[in-house]
Amino acid sequence: MSDLVLGISAFYHDSAAALVAGGVPVAAAQEERFTRKRHDAAFPSRAVEYCLDEAGVSFDDISAVAYYEDPRLKFRRVLATFAGAAPTAFPFFRDALPPWLARNGKRHTDRTVHRELRKLGRGRVPEVSVRRHHESHAASAFFPSPYESAAVLCVDGVGEWATTTLWHGRGTELTPLSELRFPHSLGMLYSAFTYFCGFKVDSGEYKLMGLAPYGRPRYADLIRDTLIDIKPDGTFRLDVSRFEYLRGQTMTGGAFEKLFGGPRRDPEGRLTEREFDLAASVQQVTEEVMLRLARTARERTGESRLCLAGGVALNCVANGKIIDAGIFDEVWVQPAAGDAGGALGAAQAVAMERGATRDHLGTGHDAMAGSLLGPAYDDEEIGAYLTANGIPHRRLDPGQLAAQVAEGLADGKIVGWFQGRMEFGPRALGARSILGDPRDARMQSTMNLKIKFRESFRPFAPAVLAEDAKDYFDLRQESPYMLVVARVAAAQQLEVPESGATGLDLLKVRRSTIPAVTHVDHSARVQTVDGRSNPPYHRLLTAFKARTGCPVLVNTSFNVRGEPIVRTPEEAYVCFMRTDIDMLAIGGFLLDKSEQPEWSEQSDWRTEIPLD
């Protein structure tokens, strides 16, 4: 195997490991999928071992190890923040600084990484090189992209100092062009509203994005006037006196309460019109900044293609607005755009320095293999598990499996779909998915409340055959990684009578021929599926179209609220039995709930959540 580089991201959230060979991703996975701890920040020991096992190598075969950020530069930012916020932030920094000052503390994370790798006992570990956080994001965005050259925009909360960076990618080189620094951060602004609306920072931002269409952006001007000063080129400054993240562990305090008419929503409290409107307002402001930054990227680089990464690049509504604006001819978003993807980017940055050549460019496709870079289980392993546990099942050939699952879906059944290699990144892309019929208006609420056990307002994403996507969605380009929001095509929309409904009552209105995946603003977070990157999934969609005439399925991640996506056959079966999923297609096997033995843990496992 050609030159191997291992990348690591760890110790903040979404720890991950990635292995590249000659710059091409070979394996990548988040630690949470192994430990079952959502957004696990611990050192990714099991993810590293998976990467080595997938490639059949030891550390003796690894040329280099790359860590995704520079801990010493990050420490200087922590010290500077402390100095700037003193004395009011003293209690927070009194507790936060000792881990940085210890002999083997956070300043020396690269040494910690080396030490943890040695503990695995898998051979001689190369020295660990550190990359800057935004360099790792930029590398993950550009090097696996299908473009020979492109503008590269990275936007997130904060790395060491950078919060927004612009790069020019050409061949195997990335040139930094400009940088916006902490505390001025679009990611922090969005997270502040995430927190104020009662959701968890670093994981609840997508909930805020999903909430936005229920509201009106009536606070947008107030945000622009008091919180963020946006320049014509997209750069901006925050009024940090109105936030709390410089002075402690919370995002907002009294200043926000005064501005927005009351205290932060209790995380288990009911959603009100204020939260809908706050979400709509900060989403509008975020889109405005991203559009201005994109125009600046086009002007500064002269490129007709854009690559995106960083946590804000997971805001698929903003991505869709950039595409719709026609600023670039093409846009490519790293499917693991958050910190997990930093492991891949760090490895690729080092690989390019070591002479990798981006051979995938000759294929016309990206190098991410559909982002299916995680563990797989063959039919022999799956069959052995099912047989050993006395689990009733039928073995089918690929065509039969697709046909029978399509038949079940058409009959209103909900299907767990466990096929091939697990996805890398936050999206289920047809390897670890729960599927349903998008034509069923009840499917959205059924899947939210009886399968996912989550808030009723959350929208579901459609998967659509790439060749039929234009008939159902107003897409300017393919969206294989479910990172672009588009409007449902006018031909599929239904006339909506004026009802005066507001808030969550909007859920009751049928808006299209595929109501289960049509959000209240006629939008959808689309995944286009082709036969090259995921043949089993494409085969199923084709079978469903043949059965119903509809080439679209509801696709959501194979997990329940508060848990990571399933990784193993056992986890898939347990999730199947603990929920109201009707069928499980796992490898070449099909399981029907009606044929399964009674599940004794079910009543103990379900947890009550507030139904909005």
Side-chain angles (χ1 to χ4, degrees), residues 350-404:
V350 170
M352 296 303 150
E353 289 181 353
R354 296 177 61 85
T357 56
R358 301 186 73 210
D359 291 342
H360 72 279
L361 292 176
T363 70
H365 304 294
D366 66 47
M368 291 298 294
S371 207
L372 304 178
L373 297 170
Y377 297 85
D378 61 30
D379 280 356
E380 183 176 348
E381 293 172 297
I382 296 169
Y385 165 73
L386 296 174
T387 301
N389 288 279
I391 298 171
H393 62 274
R394 285 172 286 154
R395 186 163 190 171
L396 305 170
D397 68 37
Q400 292 173 324
L401 182 73
Q404 292 198 25

Side-chain angles (χ1 to χ4, degrees), residues 427-450:
R427 306 292 183 227
L429 301 171
R432 305 290 186 271
S433 291
I434 298 174
L435 308 175
D437 185 344
R439 302 169 303 158
D440 185 344
R442 301 165 300 173
M443 191 61 64
Q444 192 261 0
S445 60
T446 298
M447 292 180 78
N448 266 329
L449 301 179
K450 293 187 177 182

Side-chain angles (χ1 to χ4, degrees), residues 118-341:
R118 290 201 311 270
K119 287 180 183 178
L120 298 179
R122 302 286 293 264
R124 181 192 59 81
V125 179
E127 288 303 309
V128 177
S129 66
V130 298
R131 316 304 298 196
R132 294 197 177 187
H133 188 102
H134 269 240
E135 178 193 11
S136 296
H137 277 319
S140 78
F142 176 62
F143 291 134
S145 80
Y147 310 143
E148 171 65 34
S149 64
V152 183
L153 184 60
C154 302
V155 187
D156 66 0
V158 61
E160 298 89 359
W161 276 105
T163 65
T164 303
T165 54
L166 174 61
W167 308 71
H168 196 169
R170 286 170 285 199
T172 59
E173 295 184 356
L174 271 169
T175 303
L177 300 181
S178 59
E179 174 179 299
L180 189 64
R181 290 191 153 203
F182 186 83
H184 307 292
S185 164
L186 189 61
M188 288 291 193
L189 175 72
Y190 206 87
S191 291
F193 280 88
T194 299
Y195 175 83
F196 192 68
C197 289
F199 304 120
K200 190 174 180 180
V201 171
D202 291 329
S203 65
E205 283 78 6
Y206 61 96
K207 296 182 183 182
L208 194 72
M209 182 180 67
L211 198 66
Y214 294 96
R216 297 173 294 113
R218 62 188 175 101
Y219 297 108
D221 286 340
L222 181 61
I223 293 171
R224 295 185 191 97
D225 292 341
T226 61
L227 297 180
I228 183 170
D229 178 17
I230 309 169
K231 306 301 182 185
D233 64 356
T235 59
F236 56 88
R237 293 185 65 82
L238 300 183
D239 182 351
V240 295
S241 70
R242 298 182 183 271
F243 300 83
E244 296 299 316
Y245 61 81
L246 290 177
R247 293 179 287 275
Q249 293 181 305
T250 61
M251 296 296 297
T252 65
F256 255 61
E257 294 178 3
K258 184 176 180 180
L259 275 175
F260 301 115
R264 174 198 183 212
R265 169 184 167 256
D266 184 281
E268 298 302 324
R270 291 185 64 84
L271 290 163
T272 69
E273 184 178 350
R274 185 186 68 157
E275 284 75 48
F276 302 145
D277 294 347
L278 286 169
S281 300
V282 74
Q283 179 65 34
Q284 185 183 89
V285 171
T286 298
E287 292 165 11
E288 178 183 341
V289 173
M290 291 297 289
L291 283 166
R292 292 189 186 191
L293 288 171
R295 291 189 179 96
T296 298
R298 177 70 189 250
E299 293 167 3
R300 292 282 305 275
T301 65
E303 295 286 352
S304 62
R305 292 161 173 158
L306 174 68
C307 298
L308 291 168
V312 178
L314 292 172
N315 192 309
C316 48
V317 179
N319 296 342
K321 292 295 176 66
I322 291 172
I323 292 169
D324 288 343
I327 302 167
F328 291 89
D329 295 341
E330 296 179 81
V331 177
W332 190 84
V333 187
Q334 164 55 237
D339 280 5

Side-chain angles (χ1 to χ4, degrees), residues 398-415 417 435-441 443 447 461-465 467-468 472-473 513-517 529 535-555 583:
Q400 292 173 324
L401 182 73
Q404 292 198 25
V405 170
E407 186 72 24
L409 289 164
D411 289 341
K413 293 184 177 180
I414 296 172
V415 179
W417 183 255
L435 308 175
D437 185 344
R439 302 169 303 158
D440 185 344
M443 191 61 64
M447 292 180 78
V464 59
L465 289 171
E467 56 267 34
D468 294 318
Y472 281 79
F473 305 99
T513 61
I514 45 174
V517 293
V529 181
Y537 199 29
H538 187 269
R539 188 181 303 119
L540 173 61
L541 280 159
T542 301
F544 186 74
K545 179 185 177 184
R547 171 65 177 76
T548 66
C550 177
V552 183
L553 287 173
V554 180
N555 174 23
M583 302 170 69

Side-chain angles (χ1 to χ4, degrees), residues 83-107:
T88 57
F90 177 74
F92 168 65
F93 282 95
R94 179 188 58 207
D95 298 329
L97 281 176
W100 286 97
L101 299 173
R103 182 177 179 183
N104 290 313
K106 291 183 178 181
R107 282 180 301 160

